[in-house]
């Protein structure tokens, strides 16, 4: 995997720090290298052509980082409901990919403080890490 000669335009300072850490550790990776297709259900929906009540919309997802070993890493400071739904759909449509979550902090999902980011990952089968450094066992 090629390393960028110039600093790419990162979407967040967290992404910049994680990528810089990978570079400093000489770990091969690509930043936002490609897009993956996935579908989501449109609600409420009604197909004008066939009358079906389930309508799917094709969308694209750009992974934050793809390591040299093929692991896809999504970097999150804030993990919204929309993003959680999106990640489930991406994995459903791309079952062969190893998609992992890297969180800046293990925050609460809601104000009720019943579930943390880590709880959601465990419940939904996502490997995750809390911190700004990709764990060594992900890159070995």
């Amino acid at each position: 995997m090629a390393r960028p000669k110039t600093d790419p335009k990162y979407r967040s300072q967290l992404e910049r720090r994680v990528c810089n850490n990978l570079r400093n550790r000489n770990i091969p990776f690509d930043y936002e290298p490609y897009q993956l297709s996935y579908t989501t259900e449109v609600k409420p929906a009604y197909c004008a052509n066939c009358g079906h009540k389930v309508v799917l919309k094709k969308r694209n997802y750009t992974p934050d980082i793809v390591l040299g070993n093929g692991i896809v890493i999504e970097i999150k400071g804030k993990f919204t409901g929309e993003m959680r739904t999106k990640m489930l759909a991406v994995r459903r449509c791309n079952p062969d990919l190893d998609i992992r979550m890297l969180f800046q902090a293990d925050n609460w999902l809601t104000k009720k403080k019943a579930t943390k980011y880590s709880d959601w990952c465990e419940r939904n089968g996502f490997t995750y890490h809390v911190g700004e450094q990709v764990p060594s066992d992900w890159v070995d």
Side-chain angles (χ1 to χ4, degrees):
M1 299 199 153
R3 295 190 184 203
K5 293 180 181 177
T6 60
D7 204 21
K9 300 291 182 203
Y10 295 101
R11 296 182 190 270
S12 72
Q13 289 301 313
L14 176 59
E15 289 181 1
R16 178 185 305 279
R17 289 191 301 271
V18 171
C19 289
N20 285 341
N21 180 273
L22 288 170
R23 274 191 212 91
N24 291 340
R25 293 163 58 198
N26 293 315
I27 296 170
F29 74 96
D30 285 320
Y31 177 74
E32 295 189 342
Y34 52 75
Q35 290 187 333
L36 299 169
S37 293
Y38 71 101
T39 57
T40 57
E41 189 175 333
V42 178
K43 294 182 180 179
Y46 175 81
C47 179
N49 293 330
C50 67
H52 204 280
K53 292 182 181 179
V54 177
V55 177
L56 299 177
K57 181 173 183 174
K58 183 178 175 184
R59 298 180 183 270
N60 291 314
Y61 160 71
T62 304
D64 291 331
I65 291 175
V66 178
L67 297 176
N69 58 14
I71 292 174
V72 174
I73 300 176
E74 181 64 26
I75 302 167
K76 285 288 157 213
K78 187 174 182 181
F79 197 38
T80 65
E82 182 179 328
M83 178 52 70
R84 295 189 300 271
T85 301
K86 177 180 180 177
M87 293 311 299
L88 289 171
V90 169
R91 188 178 62 190
R92 185 187 74 247
C93 293
N94 298 276
D96 295 335
L97 288 179
D98 184 354
I99 302 172
R100 301 182 183 193
M101 307 299 295
L102 184 69
F103 298 114
Q104 185 174 23
D106 194 13
N107 295 322
W108 297 105
L109 287 178
T110 65
K111 292 179 183 180
K112 293 181 182 179
K113 297 185 178 180
T115 308
K116 289 192 164 198
Y117 294 177
S118 58
D119 298 325
W120 182 91
C121 285
E122 289 172 10
R123 186 172 54 238
N124 290 287
F126 280 89
T127 301
Y128 70 92
H129 179 74
V130 178
E132 295 185 8
Q133 181 171 313
V134 174
S136 296
D137 63 331
W138 291 12
V139 296
D140 294 336

